Amino acid sequence: MRQGLYAGGEMGRSLKTIAAFALVFVAACSATFNNHGYIPAEEILEQIEVGVDDKLTVEELIGRPASTGVINDDGWYYIRTTIRNYTIYEPEVVERDILAISFDRNERVSNVETLTLADGNVVALNRRVTELPLRGPSFWQQLVSSLGNIDASEFLNN
């Protein structure tokens, strides 16, 4: 006499399979974090002296930055960003730290400042977009109108 699915082990394997799929589903739904960039530790930053250290000593202490000033090299910027990726949603920047080291005309450190994501400002961009539809002659109208401008004598003289 057959004792049922429980005793045969088929139901036990099915439960294990369902549990494995549930575990994979839950793990796939968890957020992942990506870290980009580098900012030196606070103990290292304390060694930089304003008015004393120059670009060379800063470079020896913490290395060259990924970004510098746009017009001239009077600012060095070290940036660290943490981005959260969560399933189908757009990645979100959850943490951003910026170390800004400014230099004077003599290339000596004039300021060391740390900024966070909370210090940032949203910059409104002015988009100048041409509205459609454009008014003017179409391609065909331009083609037909240019036919009257051709002088046949130019082709015959060559």
Side-chain angles (χ1 to χ4, degrees):
M1 182 169 163
R2 192 163 189 213
Q3 297 193 2
L5 293 176
Y6 293 107
E10 292 177 26
M11 187 64 161
R13 277 183 265 160
S14 296
L15 286 175
K16 288 179 183 177
T17 303
I18 291 171
F21 279 120
L23 182 62
V24 168
F25 179 75
V26 169
C29 290
S30 62
T32 59
F33 295 90
N34 295 332
N35 297 309
H36 302 279
Y38 162 76
I39 289 187
E42 191 65 36
E43 303 83 43
I44 295 173
L45 294 178
E46 290 173 355
Q47 296 177 26
I48 298 174
E49 294 183 43
V50 174
V52 175
D53 287 319
D54 59 6
K55 287 183 180 181
L56 184 60
T57 57
V58 171
E59 183 178 355
E60 289 173 355
L61 188 62
I62 60 177
R64 292 213 37 105
S67 299
T68 60
V70 177
I71 296 175
N72 51 23
D73 199 22
D74 63 347
W76 285 8
Y77 306 98
Y78 299 83
I79 304 167
R80 179 181 58 215
T81 305
T82 302
I83 300 171
R84 180 179 68 179
N85 296 297
Y86 185 69
T87 62
I88 62 171
Y89 299 105
E90 187 174 328
E92 176 186 9
V93 175
V94 292
E95 185 177 348
R96 179 175 294 134
D97 297 313
I98 300 172
L99 170 64
I101 301 177
S102 303
F103 299 95
D104 61 16
R105 276 187 253 130
N106 300 323
E107 296 190 350
R108 298 240 180 252
V109 175
S110 62
N111 190 23
V112 177
E113 184 176 17
T114 303
L115 306 167
T116 65
L117 191 59
D119 297 321
N121 296 322
V122 176
V123 177
L125 299 176
N126 184 5
R127 294 184 57 197
R128 296 182 182 195
V129 178
T130 304
E131 297 293 328
L132 293 178
L134 296 175
R135 303 285 184 225
S138 69
F139 170 76
W140 297 112
Q141 290 171 333
Q142 291 177 11
L143 182 65
V144 171
S145 68
S146 67
L147 290 178
N149 296 332
I150 298 175
D151 185 13
S153 65
E154 292 179 15
F155 294 110
L156 297 175
N157 291 335
N158 292 332

